[in-house]
Amino acid sequence: MNQDSNLLWLSVSPHLKCFDRRLLAQLAKTHPVRTWEYIQTVDEPCCLDSVVNELHQYVSDRAALEQRSGQADYKVHLLGHGVSGVVGLMYARTYPERVASLTLLSVNAKPADNWQAHYYALRQLLPCSREMILVQMAKMMFGHQPHRFSRALAKLLACDLDSSLSLHSLAHDVDIPGGATEVPLLVCNGEHDSIIQAQKAVLWRKCMKPGDRIWQCPKGHHFFHFHQAESTAKVITAHIDSNNQTHSQAAASQSAPQFSQASAL
C-alpha cells in the first residue's frame, strides 16, 4: 500500500500552532498532510490517555474508510512538536500496528521533560512574577528577540499554559518512561535548544533501532521548524520517503510468487 498521503500532523496546543504553518506548507509541496487537533476544554482534566484514545478513534475511523476503498493496511505517518509529539509517541507505543513512522520535533528522550516542566521549576525557584518568567522562557525557546516580541510570545505561552493540554502544574508533575518505540523514528531538535539540551540526545541514541534517525537543526532553538521550515521539511520528507520505499519493497516481496528449488531426479 502507498502510504504517501497518510501524513498526520498532531496539534494539541492551539495557541502555538501558528509556529507550525510554515513547516506544514513546505511538507504539503510534496505530500498531502492532514492535521488532527485536540482542544482542551475547561471542564476536562488534562489526561494524556484520553487524548491518545481520541486520536485512536480518529485513526480507526479513517482506517475503516480506507478499507472500504480497498486499502486494507492503513497506517499513518505521525508528526508532532512538543506536547503534540509526546501524544504521538504514546500512541505509537500503544498502537504500533497503525503507525508507519513517527517524527518527533523538540521532544526529550524523557518525554515529560518539556518547556512547561522548566517553567514550573523556575516558578518554584525564582521570586519573580509569572510574566517575567514567561518572557525568560520565550527568550530560551526563540533566542534573542526584541523585547516587544518576547512579551508577545510570553502571552502566547501563558495562553498555552492556561487552556491547552499540559503534563504539569505547580502541584503535580507527570512522569513518562523514556525510550523509543518499535515504529520507524525520526527525532528532530534544535542545536541551541536549551529545553532539549544537546547532551540528552545521547539518551535517544541509546534506545534507537537500526534505521531510526536523529537530526539537529543547525542554529535552531525550540521552535526551529518555524525559522527553518524548508530544511526541516527536507529531512522529514526524506525519512518518510525512505520508509515508504522500505514498506513497498517488503509488500512486493510478500506478494511475489515463491518457487521451491527442484530436486534432481
Side-chain angles (χ1 to χ4, degrees), residues 57-72:
Q57 184 63 56
Y58 170 83
V59 175
S60 298
D61 291 345
R62 189 75 200 178
L65 180 63
E66 297 293 338
Q67 190 171 21
R68 289 195 291 271
S69 302
Q71 298 179 343

Side-chain angles (χ1 to χ4, degrees), residues 42-79:
V42 177
D43 296 329
E44 287 180 308
C46 288
C47 179
L48 191 58
D49 290 340
S50 297
V51 182
V52 170
N53 289 338
E54 289 202 25
L55 174 58
H56 183 56
Q57 184 63 56
Y58 170 83
V59 175
S60 298
D61 291 345
R62 189 75 200 178
L65 180 63
E66 297 293 338
Q67 190 171 21
R68 289 195 291 271
S69 302
Q71 298 179 343
D73 185 23
Y74 179 81
K75 295 184 178 182
V76 290
H77 294 282
L78 290 180
L79 308 92

Side-chain angles (χ1 to χ4, degrees), residues 2-259:
N2 187 356
Q3 306 282 352
D4 284 351
S5 62
N6 297 345
L7 274 65
L8 186 62
W9 179 265
L10 305 179
S11 176
V12 302
S13 302
H15 295 284
L16 303 180
K17 67 180 181 180
C18 54
F19 301 114
D20 304 334
R21 290 171 184 160
R22 290 182 180 179
L23 175 59
L24 294 178
Q26 290 292 326
L27 291 172
K29 292 180 179 180
T30 56
H31 297 76
V33 184
R34 293 188 178 93
T35 299
W36 181 83
E37 295 189 12
Y38 174 84
I39 299 177
Q40 181 77 30
T41 64
V42 177
D43 296 329
E44 287 180 308
C46 288
C47 179
L48 191 58
D49 290 340
S50 297
V51 182
V52 170
N53 289 338
E54 289 202 25
L55 174 58
H56 183 56
Q57 184 63 56
Y58 170 83
V59 175
S60 298
D61 291 345
R62 189 75 200 178
L65 180 63
E66 297 293 338
Q67 190 171 21
R68 289 195 291 271
S69 302
Q71 298 179 343
D73 185 23
Y74 179 81
K75 295 184 178 182
V76 290
H77 294 282
L78 290 180
L79 308 92
H81 176 273
V83 178
S84 301
V86 175
V87 172
L89 176 62
M90 300 307 294
Y91 183 85
R93 287 177 177 178
T94 309
Y95 303 103
E97 70 280 1
R98 286 294 181 200
V99 182
S101 73
L102 176 65
T103 298
L104 303 178
L105 290 78
S106 299
V107 176
N108 247 318
K110 295 182 177 180
D113 189 5
N114 61 3
W115 79 264
Q116 297 165 343
H118 283 245
Y119 163 77
Y120 285 115
L122 290 176
R123 282 291 303 273
Q124 293 177 336
L125 290 173
L126 301 178
C128 300
S129 68
R130 167 180 156 116
E131 181 182 7
M132 289 181 64
I133 292 177
L134 285 173
V135 169
Q136 182 61 33
M137 293 296 304
K139 292 178 180 179
M140 290 172 61
M141 291 192 285
F142 288 88
H144 180 72
Q145 303 289 339
H147 185 66
R148 185 172 64 178
F149 188 55
S150 295
R151 287 175 63 88
L153 291 172
K155 290 181 179 180
L156 285 178
L157 296 178
C159 291
D160 188 64
L161 282 171
D162 292 339
S163 57
S164 299
L165 176 69
S166 178
L167 304 179
H168 307 284
S169 68
L170 281 172
H172 179 66
D173 283 332
V174 171
D175 183 33
I176 300 174
T181 175
E182 63 185 76
V183 307
L185 175 66
L186 170 64
V187 175
C188 302
N189 294 323
E191 181 183 12
H192 299 314
D193 187 352
S194 56
I195 305 298
I196 314 294
Q197 298 172 8
Q199 61 265 32
K200 292 183 179 179
V202 176
L203 299 177
W204 271 125
R205 296 186 188 279
K206 286 182 178 180
C207 61
M208 283 185 163
K209 313 175 297 299
D212 289 350
R213 293 185 59 197
I214 186 167
W215 175 70
Q216 278 197 338
C217 180
K219 301 180 181 179
H221 294 273
H222 194 69
F223 288 89
F224 64 91
H225 64 301
F226 172 73
H227 295 286
Q228 302 192 45
E230 185 175 357
S231 58
T232 304
K234 287 181 179 179
V235 172
I236 294 174
T237 298
H239 179 71
I240 289 174
D241 287 345
S242 175
N243 280 288
N244 283 337
Q245 184 178 9
T246 301
H247 185 275
S248 298
Q249 290 173 347
S253 175
Q254 291 176 0
S255 61
Q258 302 294 319
F259 299 97

